[in-house]
Amino acid sequence: VPSAFTPNGDGNNDVVYVKGWGIKKLLEFTIYNRWGERVLTTDDINQGWDGTFKGKPQNIDTYVYYAKGLLYSGKEISKKGTINLFR
């Protein structure tokens, strides 16, 4: 998960995804805003967050994420951190 993205419609870094070598299956990818509202939750590795919530573009801010995946080795891994949204 990158530390920042720019959903401004220019075709570069418009959506944030979970990507990584060896990930067999995404078990959870959840993003929260500063008020603790869940702005995205998915288990589809091809679905990312486009910087919107309830159809509205979100403000430039820092968002918290939690990602959990299953590796081809059978091991489950998880990571949490922050994502900065810039426009």
Side-chain angles (χ1 to χ4, degrees), residues 16 18 26-31 38 40-49 66-68:
V16 64
V18 173
L26 181 63
L27 301 174
E28 179 183 351
F29 182 38
T30 305
I31 300 175
R38 193 177 327 162
L40 172 82
T41 189
T42 185
D43 62 358
D44 182 351
I45 200 154
N46 297 309
Q47 181 183 357
W49 185 46
Y66 174 76
K68 183 176 179 182

Side-chain angles (χ1 to χ4, degrees), residues 2-72:
S3 60
F5 78 120
T6 57
N8 57 10
D10 67 357
N12 293 314
N13 299 314
D14 286 334
V15 179
V16 64
Y17 297 97
V18 173
K19 297 291 181 190
W21 186 84
I23 299 174
K24 180 178 181 180
K25 178 168 177 48
L26 181 63
L27 301 174
E28 179 183 351
F29 182 38
T30 305
I31 300 175
Y32 299 92
N33 65 19
R34 70 172 48 241
W35 298 277
E37 294 174 296
R38 193 177 327 162
V39 297
L40 172 82
T41 189
T42 185
D43 62 358
D44 182 351
I45 200 154
N46 297 309
Q47 181 183 357
W49 185 46
D50 64 359
T52 63
F53 180 51
K54 295 183 179 179
K56 295 181 181 177
Q58 294 302 286
N59 294 327
I60 294 171
D61 210 339
T62 301
Y63 296 81
V64 175
Y65 74 86
Y66 174 76
K68 183 176 179 182
L70 178 66
L71 301 180
Y72 283 98

